[in-house]
Amino acid sequence: LRVGQSASVVADAYAAQRFAARVLSIAPSVDAQRGSIEVKLALLAAPPAFLREDMTLSVEVETARVDGARVLPLAALRAPGADGSAAVLVVEAGLAKERRVRLGLHTLEAVEVVDGLAESEQVLVGGALRAGQRVRVRVVSWEPSQRAVGAAASNAGAALTNAMGR
């Protein structure tokens, strides 16, 4: 987290109405009683009319960005390694085949694939699948802001932002 990073703010009571901000300051120490760090944000435009003091807000701070990233839902990962890699299942000649991939940025629901996966390959999502198993693929459109269900193709061309959780 750094001063100047972009943030997206949403009041929990108005979840469909996001507004933009930037990190203005970060406290130099942790509040030991609350186990938190004070982060101040500056709004990029006039505050929305519905915003009131003491409202609960959720903030996502963009800590990194990769445009054109190959992105997968976290549900597609199997056997994550300590070296920044993980196994995924890809479709090859109608069979599920395990493939090791190198990972990049992570969010709470998505991960960037840096190496080990071709743009045209289909990645399988589903806990009961095993390598070598015959599969029939149903391609499901997926964006990083959506939850993964069923099978998902690699999403080349997406922008992945590494955002702090809510």
Side-chain angles (χ1 to χ4, degrees):
L1 199 57
R2 291 186 319 269
V3 170
Q5 289 175 319
S6 298
S8 178
V9 182
V10 63
D12 292 355
Y14 297 89
Q17 300 180 33
R18 292 183 171 269
F19 47 99
R22 288 219 179 274
V23 175
L24 185 61
S25 68
I26 304 167
S29 62
V30 175
D31 178 336
Q33 281 187 316
R34 296 186 321 184
S36 62
I37 297 174
E38 182 178 321
V39 176
K40 292 184 181 180
L41 302 173
L43 298 181
L44 299 183
F50 61 80
L51 197 59
R52 301 282 182 263
E53 208 170 305
D54 292 333
M55 285 182 98
T56 301
L57 302 175
S58 293
V59 177
E60 292 179 353
V61 177
E62 185 179 294
T63 58
R65 173 176 283 275
V66 175
D67 291 318
R70 208 165 284 150
V71 181
L72 293 175
L74 288 177
L77 300 183
R78 299 163 179 270
D83 62 350
S85 70
V88 296
L89 289 179
V90 297
V91 179
E92 211 173 89
L95 297 175
K97 182 178 179 186
E98 189 169 284
R99 171 84 49 79
R100 204 85 193 148
V101 294
R102 193 166 50 96
L103 307 176
L105 295 177
H106 290 71
T107 69
L108 296 176
E109 59 193 20
V111 62
E112 173 193 17
V113 176
V114 176
D115 191 32
L117 188 64
E119 187 172 332
S120 61
E121 288 185 296
Q122 294 177 317
V123 176
L124 299 169
V125 179
L129 295 171
R130 293 183 321 273
Q133 186 175 353
R134 180 158 290 291
V135 293
R136 184 180 312 161
V137 177
R138 179 175 57 95
V139 176
V140 177
S141 177
W142 178 80
E143 294 293 327
S145 61
Q146 299 173 345
R147 297 288 178 208
V149 181
S154 67
N155 192 0
L160 177 68
T161 58
N162 194 21
M164 300 295 291
R166 292 185 174 185

